[in-house]
Amino acid sequence: GMNNSAPVSGTSASPPPAEKDFDYLTYQFVALDAPAPVPFFPSQPTSVAASAETRVLNRLIMHPSGELPRQPLKLVLGSSHLGGGVPSATIDEVVFGRPTIGEVSSIGETALGGQFVLIERLSPGQFDLQLAPNSLRMAKGQHVEVAGFLNSLRPGGGLLRIGNEILAYTARDPGTGVVTIPQGGRGLLGTEEVYHQVGETATALESFLASELVAAISADDALIPVAAVGEFPFQGSVLIDGELIHYTHAAGALEMPRRSATPGARDARGGGIFRGRYGTAAAAHAAGAVVIEFPVRYPDRWSERSDGPELAYFGFELAQPNAFLRSCFWQAEEPASGASRIEFLQRLDLGPGTNVPWDGDPGQTPGLSLLTRAGDSTRPKDSSLPHSIGESSSRAQWRAYVRYNPGAFDAQTGLSHGWKETPRLSRFAVDYLAPEQVLYRVQR
């Protein structure tokens, strides 16, 4: 007999002989069509852990049950857990995580991943959330213990999911269970702000860090003043009201380099260079706006009218005295989404005493040109048709970078995946004419 079991497809259950006194409410019999892979031993349902969590009991469940393990002990990549069969797949990213909610409980790891419970109704426009401070919802019901469960929530702020709504919090009181929601912290990431009743479950999205702006910022500010700046990584990305932003340093604020007010001067008197990433629009944000740490796969670190070591690009150079550059071309494999493409910034040496700044305006700065196929319907995406240059220069340089189109990132529905992809440059070539040179000569 096995407690809490389920019938298996293709098998039948046989009741015990009628003459025996048998407790049908406690046991079920299951006939298997193959030997059980592991033996089952009696559990101790009288333990404190077993009274709250069914995963500590030996049970027979049907696959797929949807139940996740409390603590993974083994990870196998490239084959099955039994060592056989290699899937036809490419693994490019593996992320490990461990829940912290419930780790302060006396029942130890059994409580990991527990969820909070609302004890007061939450209405739209309301910013004080009341959770049960000494209770966690688990598989067999609520586990009550004076353990300060809210201490496991990030002290600097984070995200919670209640029903289908995602909301942010910036403070929590483990003693009373009061959680503070900032202005604009309801209905985040495309969810809707709705009513929530007493007894609903609040799940901590532990992998997300959230805080709030302590002051308003403009669309080109390079300093992002965040309340819990010490909780953020040294560099990374954040989401504010639908705008994705990269920052390169976290000290008193989240910071990024500035453009030059005068091209080539590197005076850092212009706007921040990493606002409006992945095709999102740089915008002003009010004090109290929610700032969410946002992991990205390929950083969008190219910025127009900018120069500096923080930029991301692939550089090419041709140093050929007295050369006449006729044209250049490239081939690239672009993502199926069509949300990003490769472009080139071209700089030509115009002679002694000239200095062509990389952060100049390509349309106005002599020697600086922007090479792009955007809007050219005569050239397919993988075209190698040349771009005419027609200039004499002893030194030419190119910077290849990725431009993301508007809509590559969708903060409302999350249905756009273009911001996760990047093109692949496969070929770049230059056609030029240059006089022959004698590099070494011996006369006898």
Side-chain angles (χ1 to χ4, degrees):
M2 189 62 60
N3 196 22
N4 292 332
S5 61
V8 178
S9 177
T11 64
S12 60
S14 300
E19 63 273 16
K20 291 185 178 180
D21 185 12
F22 192 80
D23 185 355
Y24 290 98
L25 299 179
T26 304
Y27 296 93
Q28 293 180 357
F29 281 83
V30 177
L32 303 176
D33 56 7
V38 294
F40 288 87
F41 297 97
S43 299
Q44 300 297 324
T46 58
S47 67
V48 176
S51 66
E53 176 58 73
T54 60
R55 286 174 291 181
V56 300
L57 299 174
N58 289 332
R59 295 164 298 126
L60 187 66
I61 57 177
M62 291 290 293
H63 175 79
S65 67
E67 183 177 283
L68 298 177
R70 289 183 298 111
Q71 183 182 18
L73 300 177
K74 181 179 180 181
L75 175 66
V76 178
L77 304 177
S79 67
S80 71
H81 70 285
L82 297 178
V86 178
S88 178
T90 299
I91 302 173
D92 66 349
E93 186 174 13
V94 178
V95 178
F96 293 90
R98 177 184 182 275
T100 61
I101 304 301
E103 64 181 358
V104 297
S105 173
S106 63
I107 61 176
E109 293 180 346
T110 302
L112 289 179
Q115 299 165 299
F116 298 102
V117 181
L118 268 67
I119 57 176
E120 286 189 5
R121 181 180 179 181
L122 181 65
S123 304
Q126 183 179 343
F127 297 96
D128 285 328
L129 176 65
Q130 181 71 57
L131 301 177
N134 301 316
S135 178
L136 284 182
R137 175 161 286 157
M138 302 176 66
K140 293 185 70 176
Q142 291 188 205
H143 173 69
V144 179
E145 179 184 356
V146 181
F149 291 126
L150 269 70
N151 280 311
S152 298
L153 291 176
R154 289 179 180 267
L159 300 181
L160 296 171
R161 179 190 291 275
I162 306 177
N164 291 325
E165 180 185 355
I166 296 176
L167 50 84
Y169 68 90
T170 52
R172 79 283 192 276
D173 187 336
T176 64
V178 174
V179 177
T180 303
I181 305 172
Q183 294 290 328
R186 299 288 305 273
L188 298 176
L189 301 179
T191 61
E192 184 179 357
E193 183 178 358
V194 296
Y195 286 95
H196 299 287
Q197 304 297 331
V198 173
E200 285 197 50
T201 298
T203 303
L205 304 182
E206 298 187 59
S207 59
F208 288 92
L209 168 64
S211 187
E212 61 181 331
L213 292 177
V214 297
I217 61 174
S218 67
D220 63 352
D221 274 344
L223 296 179
I224 314 298
V226 179
V229 65
E231 298 286 330
F232 283 78
F234 182 76
Q235 62 180 350
S237 307
V238 293
L239 176 67
I240 308 177
D241 295 336
E243 179 190 357
L244 281 174
I245 301 170
H246 288 328
Y247 66 94
T248 58
H249 182 68
L254 306 182
E255 306 174 14
M256 72 187 72
R258 293 180 180 272
R259 294 183 177 87
S260 296
T262 302
R266 294 199 177 186
D267 53 24
R269 299 172 64 180
I273 67 174
F274 292 140
R275 298 293 302 274
R277 301 293 86 194
Y278 303 100
T280 61
H285 304 286
V290 177
V291 180
I292 302 174
E293 180 195 1
F294 208 87
V296 299
R297 174 167 290 184
Y298 304 109
D300 179 16
R301 280 204 174 189
W302 173 262
S303 184
E304 293 181 345
R305 306 288 301 276
S306 304
D307 192 19
E310 297 85 0
L311 297 177
Y313 57 84
F314 198 91
F316 300 89
E317 179 175 322
L318 174 65
Q320 182 69 46
N322 302 316
F324 179 77
L325 305 175
R326 297 200 294 190
S327 64
C328 67
F329 72 91
W330 71 86
Q331 290 179 320
E333 303 170 12
E334 297 187 358
S337 65
S340 59
R341 63 186 184 275
I342 289 179
E343 296 182 349
F344 282 78
L345 193 62
Q346 173 183 278
R347 183 170 76 167
L348 303 180
D349 186 354
L350 300 181
T354 62
N355 181 23
V356 180
W358 279 110
D359 55 351
D361 186 345
Q364 303 294 328
T365 305
L368 195 66
S369 303
L370 177 63
L371 309 182
T372 176
R373 295 184 180 136
D376 189 346
S377 60
T378 65
R379 300 181 181 183
K381 292 181 179 180
D382 60 348
S383 171
S384 59
L385 294 177
H387 287 262
S388 176
I389 300 177
E391 297 281 350
S392 295
S393 178
S394 295
R395 184 187 184 198
Q397 295 172 295
W398 294 266
R399 288 182 175 181
Y401 61 90
V402 176
R403 181 186 297 277
Y404 288 87
N405 300 332
F409 174 79
D410 180 7
Q412 294 302 311
T413 64
L415 296 178
S416 178
H417 300 283
W419 65 282
K420 304 176 186 177
E421 303 170 329
T422 187
R424 182 187 301 271
L425 180 65
S426 57
R427 177 178 298 180
F428 177 75
V430 181
D431 179 20
Y432 66 95
L433 301 174
E436 295 182 353
Q437 291 182 292
V438 177
L439 301 179
Y440 180 75
R441 179 179 179 178
V442 176
Q443 185 174 358
R444 297 180 185 274

